[in-house]
Amino acid sequence: MSERGRPRTFDRTAALRRAMEVFWARGYEGASMSELTAAMGINSPSLYAAFGSKEALFLEATDFYSHTEGADIWLALEEAPTARQAIEQFLSLTARAYAQSDRPQGCLITLGALHQDSSRGAICDDLRRRRAENHTALQKRLERGVAEGELPADFDASAAATFFATVQHGMSIQARDGASHNALLATVAGAMAAWRTLAGGSAA
Amino acid sequence: MSERGRPRTFDRTAALRRAMEVFWARGYEGASMSELTAAMGINSPSLYAAFGSKEALFLEATDFYSHTEGADIWLALEEAPTARQAIEQFLSLTARAYAQSDRPQGCLITLGALHQDSSRGAICDDLRRRRAENHTALQKRLERGVAEGELPADFDASAAATFFATVQHGMSIQARDGASHNALLATVAGAMAAWRTLAGGSAA
DNA sequence: TCTTTTCTGTGTTGATCGATACATAATTAA
DNA sequence: TTAATTATGTATCGATCAACACAGAAAAGA
């Protein structure tokens, strides 16, 4: 218990959540420190004392995002009984999450920092790493489907994971354009329409 | 011929192309005026005299992009003999264009300005309008397939257009993550795997 | 109580943002 | 030649950026 000194007067986790929402709506470079401090309800020295820098705050915010907003989607992927249901749940939950009107549309990991820059290299690299982890999770789940006999032995789990991950990325932009939940489900239906062909045998 | 006054010493179209490349790589807000003027080989007063403002320059650059980089993809969509070939060409040409190593990866229209802001409303709206036009072009081509008997009468051209447009959007992010041409073609194959199911009858 | 430690609010830092003022150069029209 | 017009280069504008100096306030340990 290192409770020496004057105690913090704000809730660090609540402030982090506010920061996450600002980054989510504006992106890394679009979120100014003044907007962040205003949303977090603190002054900038408090922010720097608690989080270090804008970059460190963003990295912590994306981690928080992964453990809160993104958790159920990836949990469903693991827990669904079949690979097909896993992908369908994964995409359906994505559609629901991306269209919620009480928060920014689309995904922070996908949209947070797309444009590389000498001063933003670490940010881009971190998000890219998280997206790569997502691809790996999809691939592993599909490979489990092969191992369990649900999918044929020559099923290309990596290519299929790439496809479904790309669909999810596209849904972020679709959601940013104001797509409704139903419109996103149309994309999910399209992606799942590929399942029969992909799972049927060797890829065309 | 209004050739009064001192003539311009730089090629306006060449400078516009350079500006397009900077916006393409950095996004609207990530492209600074100093980077733009450096790439265009002119000083900032010349830029403002020739293009008006950063915002006007961006709008002109995206229009230039549509008429150059994006032209062949949408031309192929119209000219392919069947709707299926049209979509396949559309996606395959997208895969080729997005992975070219001698220019920024992905699409300027898709990635140029995703985060709304009070000061960037016109930019976002313009790109959103262009993306909506793309969706319309896909839908029209699919509806032609219905009219020509290639696709069933109950084919949902709007939903299918949404799906294929979303896949293309996702490919922009995939390309930004460094995906190879072959990796993008895996996504194309996935999307085309949905064709048989979508074209087969009523959507599931 | 007194020292140490940590947090908070005010005010400000140098750098960079997008955008111009101004004087000069280069061209056409008269 | 002269006046009118437009482009160029230098040097900056006020605003905003991320980040911090500093003094006072609030807690713990002695």
Side-chain angles (χ1 to χ4, degrees):
Chain A
M1 305 298 186
S2 61
E3 295 186 2
R4 291 283 298 262
R6 178 174 177 174
R8 190 175 282 129
T9 58
F10 63 93
D11 183 334
R12 192 180 187 280
T13 302
L16 180 59
R17 178 182 295 277
R18 297 296 185 85
M20 174 196 74
E21 292 169 353
V22 173
F23 282 129
W24 192 357
R26 303 281 190 220
Y28 177 72
E29 56 189 352
S32 69
M33 293 303 295
S34 59
E35 188 174 9
L36 285 165
T37 54
M40 298 165 84
I42 59 177
N43 295 109
S44 95
S46 297
L47 188 154
Y48 281 92
F51 299 99
S53 67
K54 183 184 179 185
E55 186 170 307
L57 176 61
F58 181 83
L59 295 176
E60 202 168 333
T62 55
D63 200 65
F64 186 78
Y65 177 89
S66 294
H67 289 92
T68 55
E69 303 292 330
D72 61 333
I73 291 176
W74 298 100
L75 188 68
L77 185 74
E78 301 300 328
E79 295 193 341
T82 67
R84 171 170 188 148
Q85 285 174 295
I87 297 294
E88 188 155 33
Q89 278 292 303
F90 161 74
L91 291 175
S92 298
L93 289 175
T94 293
R96 195 175 69 182
Y98 285 10
Q100 280 174 316
S101 58
D102 61 341
R103 65 200 67 185
Q105 280 73 49
C107 171
L108 171 60
I109 307 298
T110 304
L111 303 173
L114 285 165
H115 305 289
Q116 191 94 29
D117 188 317
S118 57
S119 67
R120 287 188 294 273
I123 299 296
C124 280
D125 290 348
D126 183 72
L127 293 185
R128 201 168 294 182
R129 180 183 58 76
R130 289 179 185 277
R131 290 194 289 266
E133 284 175 3
N134 292 349
H135 179 276
T136 300
L138 284 167
Q139 183 174 338
K140 296 271 191 218
R141 185 61 189 85
L142 292 168
E143 285 171 349
R144 204 179 102 194
V146 176
E148 292 173 352
E150 178 189 353
L151 291 164
D154 66 345
F155 181 81
D156 189 340
S158 174
T162 296
F163 169 62
F164 290 116
T166 300
V167 168
Q168 195 198 31
H169 293 158
M171 287 170 69
S172 273
I173 293 169
Q174 193 187 350
R176 272 294 151 105
D177 281 354
S180 67
H181 185 202
N182 277 339
L184 287 163
L185 287 179
T187 295
V188 175
M192 292 311 298
W195 184 269
R196 198 179 308 171
T197 304
L198 293 176
S202 53
Chain B
M1 305 297 185
S2 59
E3 295 187 3
R4 292 281 298 261
R6 179 175 176 173
R8 189 175 283 127
T9 57
F10 64 92
D11 183 334
R12 192 180 187 279
T13 302
L16 180 59
R17 177 182 294 276
R18 297 297 185 85
M20 175 195 75
E21 292 169 353
V22 173
F23 282 129
W24 193 357
R26 303 283 190 217
Y28 176 72
E29 57 188 352
S32 69
M33 292 304 295
S34 59
E35 188 174 9
L36 285 165
T37 53
M40 298 164 83
I42 59 178
N43 294 111
S44 101
S46 296
L47 189 156
Y48 281 91
F51 299 100
S53 67
K54 184 186 179 185
E55 187 170 307
L57 176 62
F58 181 83
L59 296 176
E60 202 168 333
T62 55
D63 200 65
F64 187 79
Y65 177 89
S66 293
H67 289 92
T68 55
E69 302 292 330
D72 61 333
I73 291 175
W74 299 98
L75 187 68
L77 185 75
E78 302 300 329
E79 294 194 341
T82 68
R84 172 171 185 146
Q85 285 174 295
I87 297 295
E88 188 154 33
Q89 278 293 303
F90 161 75
L91 291 175
S92 297
L93 288 175
T94 293
R96 196 176 67 182
Y98 285 11
Q100 281 173 316
S101 58
D102 61 342
R103 63 200 70 183
Q105 280 74 49
C107 172
L108 171 60
I109 308 298
T110 304
L111 303 172
L114 284 165
H115 305 288
Q116 192 96 28
D117 188 315
S118 56
S119 68
R120 285 189 295 273
I123 299 296
C124 281
D125 290 349
D126 183 73
L127 292 184
R128 201 168 294 183
R129 180 183 58 75
R130 289 180 186 277
R131 289 194 290 264
E133 285 176 3
N134 292 349
H135 179 276
T136 300
L138 284 167
Q139 184 174 338
K140 296 273 191 215
R141 185 61 189 84
L142 292 167
E143 285 171 351
R144 204 179 102 193
V146 176
E148 293 174 351
E150 178 188 352
L151 291 164
D154 67 344
F155 181 81
D156 190 339
S158 175
T162 296
F163 168 62
F164 291 114
T166 300
V167 168
Q168 195 198 31
H169 293 158
M171 287 170 70
S172 273
I173 293 170
Q174 193 187 350
R176 272 295 151 106
D177 281 353
S180 66
H181 185 204
N182 277 339
L184 288 163
L185 287 178
T187 296
V188 174
M192 292 311 297
W195 185 269
R196 197 179 309 172
T197 304
L198 292 176
S202 52

